[in-house]
Amino acid sequence: MEKLAPNPILLPAPPSHRRSTLHLQSETTFLILVTLIGAALRLICLSRPTLWNDEVMTYSRICGTHRQMLDILRDDAFGPLHYELNWLLAQVFTMTPALMRLLPAIAGTLMIPAIYLMGLEMFGRRVARLSCGLA
């Protein structure tokens, strides 16, 4: 008589597998929570204060045509990506202080999970949590 192997679908997961799944879920929850808090802190009151000097200079560079903007950036030795994104926004929307600060706020929010993943890869979970909390 042949002995039947137990059905692996009906067997409970080993304790180590359950623990690693729970650990992964808690780390994901932590990262999502910290990212949402960071987004709230960055996006709250984007329109205040009015405009700072560097934002006024950015606005003065993007208020012309695309060719004029690139000429100014070439003469001043600035990289064009930030200015081109703001120029595209200015073509569609009226530029306000909140709109000018939106792209840096989004980039700062996305920096939180990036720093967490880098810290996790290089130094471990405790350093990753601390560094993304500070970011």
Side-chain angles (χ1 to χ4, degrees), residues 56-133:
V56 171
M57 295 303 291
T58 298
Y59 182 78
S60 71
R61 290 181 182 112
I62 65 168
C63 64
T65 65
H66 191 260
R67 176 81 283 172
Q68 291 170 337
M69 179 191 68
L70 290 178
D71 290 340
I72 291 170
L73 294 177
R74 185 188 64 234
D75 294 341
D76 293 342
F78 283 109
L81 180 62
H82 174 73
Y83 294 99
E84 286 185 346
L85 291 173
N86 273 319
W87 183 83
L88 285 172
L89 282 175
Q91 302 309 305
V92 178
F93 303 106
T94 302
M95 289 306 279
T96 62
L99 190 61
M100 288 186 73
R101 294 175 181 144
L102 184 63
L103 291 174
I106 291 171
T109 301
L110 293 176
M111 179 182 66
I112 295 170
I115 289 206
Y116 176 83
L117 293 173
M118 183 184 67
L120 184 66
E121 183 72 26
M122 294 177 69
F123 302 109
R125 183 177 57 86
R126 291 180 67 198
V127 172
R129 282 182 161 218
L130 177 66
S131 59
C132 84

Side-chain angles (χ1 to χ4, degrees), residues 29-43 109 112-113:
T29 304
F30 170 78
L31 184 58
I32 290 171
L33 181 65
V34 171
T35 303
L36 289 176
I37 290 170
L41 290 173
R42 282 178 173 83
L43 296 174
T109 301
I112 295 170

Side-chain angles (χ1 to χ4, degrees), residues 14-66:
S16 64
H17 177 69
R18 282 191 300 247
R19 196 175 317 122
S20 66
T21 304
L22 181 62
H23 175 71
L24 181 63
Q25 288 174 347
S26 69
E27 289 301 308
T28 304
T29 304
F30 170 78
L31 184 58
I32 290 171
L33 181 65
V34 171
T35 303
L36 289 176
I37 290 170
L41 290 173
R42 282 178 173 83
L43 296 174
I44 200 166
C45 299
L46 271 182
S47 61
R48 289 184 297 198
T50 312
L51 279 178
W52 293 349
N53 187 36
D54 59 335
E55 294 167 334
V56 171
M57 295 303 291
T58 298
Y59 182 78
S60 71
R61 290 181 182 112
I62 65 168
C63 64
T65 65
H66 191 260

